[in-house]
Amino acid sequence: MPPFVEIEDKGEPVTAPAVDPKLKHPDHRYPLFVGKWKRSIPYVDDDFAHEDMDEPHLKRKHTILGDHPEVEKLYGTEIRTLYVTIAITVVQLSLAYGFGRVWQAPFWVFFLVAYVVGATLIGAIGVIIHEACHCLIMPTKSHNRYVGLLANVSLPVPIAQSFRRYHIEHHTWQGVEGMDPDLPLDWEKELIKGNSLTKLLWILIYPVMYVVRGAVQQHQRNMKPSKWEIINLIFTVCTDIIIQQVCGWTGLGYLMLSLWLGYSLHPGAAHFIQEHYTFGDGQETYSYYGVLNIPFMNIGYHNEHHDFQKIPWTKLPELRSIASEYYDTLAYHTSWIFVHWKFILEPTLGAQSRVVRTYEEFKKGRAMLRPMRIFEEMKRKKD
């Protein structure tokens, strides 16, 4: 199986969900909600690709629930995520102490451990913070915030609570110009284009860009830090001071290097590219189905997550199995290494390989939800 699967190239017949030709859905993208737009090509197109409808996930969620109401039984929380958080925190702090106070390791050993172990664990910590921001670990919002703070102990910068704000906005306003904080900034599109070197350097500074995009949006929309973001800042400064005192600067440096490597040129960090960078026409979100979903807690199931934000990571494969006629008919990735490889070396891919819509077009698409529900009800009665 190739590392990027386009349905027409799979070599096996795939049947899309059946549609009664006598019933007309109000959204022409039904039932998979894949658009008709063409992806943006560097040096050919100057801006992102453009869609004149809303993002596809809410409508696909309603469609899947109409066919598979049992999916709602997957909603809930996963307490085992807390245990994973504790285990990773213990391992990372132990390694920080070991490098800082026990063994003055050669740099190549220090770097290798930071890349293979530290960066991988930091990637998993990012998934945990993601789960906490969706309240998928503990039963209450405040308890999930506490888990996010615990996960942030291994990260030398305050991420958990600001990520929560911007990530929820990304879900709400996916692809909406000026409102989705996950979209690259104008200078990223203009400078990077399809050049392999600039794309490589861009991926290497991706941890910085996550912070910069949030800061730019906060300034443009005159947003003030929330109470929890301030708490996160104070909490992280305090934990950094304690870690430095106990583990030394080398120990704190190990955590910083793990963060940098884990969010840049690391196989697990390829999910930042895999999720919404357009490798094909008409599809703006992609999943990854590969073995690295095991250590990275199923973060690759991105279409599934966007469709059903109330399902924890442990049950996303079951969702795909239940609604396979939907997810297996969308293009997907099977190799994160190939995601980075193709994105960096392929001149037709770049920072502009995203899709956007205006707020007015987003609202126009959302206005179809009521007639869509009527359509679904008629379809169920006919069935």
Side-chain angles (χ1 to χ4, degrees):
M1 180 178 291
F4 174 65
V5 179
E6 296 184 78
I7 298 305
E8 62 270 20
D9 295 333
K10 285 185 67 174
E12 59 186 57
V14 178
T15 303
V19 181
D20 188 330
K22 296 180 181 179
L23 296 177
K24 186 175 181 180
H25 195 281
D27 190 323
H28 65 82
R29 301 173 298 175
Y30 175 84
L32 297 178
F33 298 96
V34 172
K36 297 180 179 179
W37 48 268
K38 301 296 183 181
R39 66 190 180 99
S40 176
I41 306 296
Y43 309 116
V44 175
D45 304 301
D46 295 326
D47 207 346
F48 299 122
H50 190 89
E51 166 73 286
D52 62 355
M53 296 288 286
D54 56 333
E55 56 85 16
H57 301 289
L58 182 60
K59 289 176 178 175
R60 190 159 61 225
K61 169 187 174 181
H62 284 295
T63 302
I64 291 174
L65 286 176
D67 291 338
H68 303 285
E70 68 273 20
V71 163
E72 289 189 339
K73 295 179 182 178
L74 303 178
Y75 294 1
T77 57
E78 179 54 82
I79 188 61
R80 286 177 291 183
T81 310
L82 173 61
Y83 308 146
V84 175
T85 307
I86 296 171
I88 291 175
T89 303
V90 169
V91 171
Q92 279 295 87
L93 294 182
S94 297
L95 287 170
Y97 182 80
F99 283 124
R101 298 301 189 193
V102 178
W103 182 35
Q104 189 175 355
F107 179 75
W108 70 269
V109 174
F110 181 80
F111 185 89
L112 185 64
V113 172
Y115 188 85
V116 175
V117 180
T120 301
L121 294 179
I122 288 302
I125 284 290
V127 181
I128 292 166
I129 289 174
H130 171 265
E131 293 289 296
C133 87
H134 284 287
C135 297
L136 295 174
I137 304 173
M138 306 288 281
T140 68
K141 182 184 292 186
S142 59
H143 287 158
N144 280 278
R145 288 189 183 274
Y146 297 145
V147 176
L149 290 177
L150 173 61
N152 212 145
V153 171
S154 297
L155 305 176
V157 295
I159 292 176
Q161 305 307 321
S162 58
F163 175 82
R164 185 183 191 282
R165 178 202 286 204
Y166 297 122
H167 186 68
I168 296 302
E169 289 195 352
H170 163 61
H171 274 277
T172 305
W173 306 112
Q174 179 181 318
V176 178
E177 294 178 291
M179 303 184 75
D180 182 355
D182 192 59
L183 290 171
L185 302 172
D186 288 340
W187 72 263
E188 296 177 74
K189 293 180 294 181
E190 294 169 2
L191 291 180
I192 294 166
K193 298 294 185 180
N195 183 276
S196 295
L197 178 60
T198 56
K199 285 188 285 186
L200 174 61
L201 295 174
W202 180 65
I203 288 175
L204 288 174
I205 65 167
Y206 215 82
V208 176
M209 291 314 306
Y210 241 65
V211 177
V212 170
R213 288 176 190 166
V216 168
Q217 188 199 54
Q218 188 168 331
H219 173 72
Q220 290 177 341
R221 297 173 61 183
N222 197 25
M223 299 165 62
K224 296 181 179 179
S226 68
K227 177 188 75 173
W228 277 98
E229 287 177 274
I230 296 172
I231 291 173
N232 197 169
L233 174 62
I234 297 171
F235 176 82
T236 302
V237 169
C238 292
T239 55
D240 284 352
I241 291 172
I242 294 171
I243 291 170
Q244 190 279 322
Q245 291 294 310
V246 175
C247 303
W249 287 109
T250 302
L252 186 61
Y254 164 77
L255 296 180
M256 181 62 76
L257 183 59
S258 297
L259 171 61
W260 193 280
L261 295 173
Y263 278 19
S264 57
L265 197 61
H266 187 275
H271 78 84
F272 294 121
I273 303 299
Q274 157 240 309
E275 292 170 349
H276 295 294
Y277 286 85
T278 52
F279 285 72
D281 298 332
Q283 185 174 326
E284 61 184 285
T285 305
Y286 297 81
S287 288
Y288 157 79
Y289 305 130
V291 68
L292 289 181
N293 271 317
I294 297 173
F296 290 97
M297 303 166 65
N298 293 334
I299 193 64
Y301 287 79
H302 205 63
N303 264 309
E304 292 83 349
H305 167 66
H306 263 272
D307 290 351
F308 293 91
Q309 299 170 43
K310 294 182 180 180
I311 297 180
W313 64 276
T314 51
K315 296 181 180 178
L316 291 176
E318 186 176 351
L319 166 62
R320 182 197 175 195
S321 177
I322 291 172
S324 60
E325 72 272 27
Y326 289 90
Y327 296 116
D328 288 349
T329 49
L330 295 171
Y332 55 84
H333 297 279
T334 59
S335 169
W336 271 334
I337 293 176
F338 185 74
V339 167
H340 268 159
W341 180 271
K342 184 173 183 179
F343 182 82
I344 293 171
L345 296 181
E346 176 56 61
T348 62
L349 292 167
Q352 69 191 68
S353 300
R354 298 287 294 262
V355 61
V356 296
R357 52 188 52 87
T358 65
Y359 177 65
E360 289 71 24
E361 289 166 335
F362 179 86
K363 288 197 301 181
K364 180 191 75 173
R366 282 294 192 259
M368 295 177 180
L369 283 174
R370 185 176 180 183
M372 174 178 166
R373 292 189 181 100
I374 296 173
F375 170 90
E376 293 289 348
E377 183 63 28
M378 292 172 59
K379 181 174 178 290
R380 280 193 292 271
K381 287 181 180 179
K382 192 172 184 62
D383 293 341

